[in-house]
Amino acid sequence: MLAWTCPAPLRNRPRIVMGHGGGGTLSAELIEHVFAPAYGGPALAHTVDAAEIRIGGARLAFSTDSFVVRPLFFPGGSIGDLAVNGTVNDLAMSGARASHLSCGFILEEGVETDVVARVAQALGAAARTAGVQVVTGDTKVVEAGHGDGIYINTSGVGLIPDGVDLRPQRVVPGDVVIVSGPIGMHGVAIMSVREGLEFGVEISSDCAPLGGLVEAMLAVTKDLHVLRDPTRGGLAASLNEIAAASGTGVVIQERAVPVPEAVGNACAVLGLDPMYVANEGKLVAFVPRDHADVVLAAMRAHPVGTEAAVIGEAVEAHPGMVVARTGLGGTRVVDMPLGEQLPRIC
């Protein structure tokens, strides 16, 4: 029992395991039973990507994230790109356009200065692309053997426009589920480099800022119900979180979910399900049916949403549960992941 690497989610677990950082059931239990009671207040009780705070009448979104990806550089990006886009995208899921970031570097003694410079340059370039300013930061160094080269923490703030109310509790039966593009690319890109695997074609991370896409969606209607970027735990985790918080069921058409052929083939070889593989430049939206067509068109007109697709709907049946209809006419339950299939992907 003590050697388990994928343990059952027992609340009295005496030690932290990798799954506690995976964005699934174990992560939720850690927040519910350790962090939320210790901190007090209702904020951590809500499964949202960014907190809404009010200062002087302004509605601000505030988010923080830490990045421990291995390797530091991968096809399509680096830990520097993730550090910007991860926080920018969490703010975008509340409808906010990120304006300012903080950045903290934790460096391991012995890491090459040139590597640190490359990461910093990538981070700066990503910030400029996202239209956000890095305005404060911190640097710490830990002894050799007590880190993994570079860890980064970023926090960010952004202004939420008037009339925007994005939260899972607004989801109702009949809402259309839209994903902004192909899934699974980031997680497979990381795994291919980490394990030295080749799949015939290079699979690049989808790491990208989503603030502009969200602005394009809100420009056609502010009546979006919820947005979520399916990072750790993949699309399956995001759909389950929304279903649980809204008290609705979710039905997706498995064949409608855009999975690149290379990602599907890689997952088949690795024994993974693309629904659970992390993304870093995609979002899933629950949209009132009356607005679905115009929102989908706006997404497809934006550079990071050209392959957006309707994949399902919210339903009254099986509240809190996500079900996929397969190409053979059957159905399968898409569970909340326990931990994560690929650790250290962001």
Side-chain angles (χ1 to χ4, degrees), residues 23-225:
T25 301
L26 289 176
S27 292
E29 289 195 347
L30 189 65
I31 293 171
E32 179 183 358
H33 298 288
V34 176
F35 295 130
Y39 299 162
L44 291 181
H46 302 290
T47 54
V48 293
D49 291 309
E52 179 181 328
I53 55 179
R54 294 179 180 266
I55 301 177
R59 296 171 62 207
L60 295 177
F62 177 63
S63 184
T64 188
D65 207 345
S66 298
F67 301 87
V68 296
V69 66
R70 178 173 59 85
L72 298 175
F73 301 91
F74 46 84
S78 70
I79 191 173
D81 300 280
L82 287 176
V84 171
N85 293 333
T87 295
V88 163
N89 292 347
D90 282 348
L91 294 171
M93 296 308 100
S94 66
R97 185 65 180 263
S99 58
H100 299 87
L101 293 180
S102 71
C103 180
F105 273 73
I106 300 174
L107 308 176
E108 182 183 15
E109 180 185 22
V111 65
E112 295 89 346
T113 306
D114 286 348
V115 172
V116 179
R118 285 179 61 197
V119 170
Q121 289 164 4
L123 191 151
R128 290 187 290 274
T129 298
V132 64
Q133 296 182 36
V134 180
V135 292
T136 188
D138 182 52
T139 304
K140 294 292 189 296
V141 177
V142 298
E143 297 89 343
H146 290 266
D148 197 6
I150 300 174
Y151 299 151
I152 302 176
N153 172 272
T154 51
S155 297
V157 294
L159 187 66
I160 303 173
D162 292 337
V164 173
D165 184 14
L166 296 170
R167 49 192 174 88
Q169 291 77 14
R170 295 194 63 213
V171 172
V172 296
D175 280 359
V176 174
V177 183
I178 304 175
V179 67
S180 65
I183 65 169
M185 298 164 65
H186 177 71
V188 173
I190 295 295
M191 179 59 74
S192 65
V193 176
R194 185 184 297 173
E195 303 300 333
L197 302 176
E198 296 184 3
F199 302 108
V201 297
E202 182 178 80
I203 300 173
S204 294
S205 170
D206 60 345
C207 185
L210 296 172
L213 176 62
V214 173
E215 285 187 342
M217 296 165 69
L218 292 173
V220 295
T221 178
K222 291 184 177 179
D223 189 24
L224 307 177
H225 284 170

Side-chain angles (χ1 to χ4, degrees), residues 178-180 217 220 287 291-302 305-310:
I178 304 175
V179 67
S180 65
M217 296 165 69
V220 295
V287 180
H291 303 317
D293 288 343
V294 293
V295 170
L296 182 62
M299 295 173 73
R300 288 177 172 173
H302 192 275
T306 56
E307 298 181 75
V310 172

Side-chain angles (χ1 to χ4, degrees), residues 241-264:
E241 289 171 356
I242 293 169
S246 65
T248 65
V250 176
V251 175
I252 63 170
Q253 303 296 328
E254 196 167 57
R255 284 187 172 178
V257 179
V259 178
E261 182 179 3
V263 169

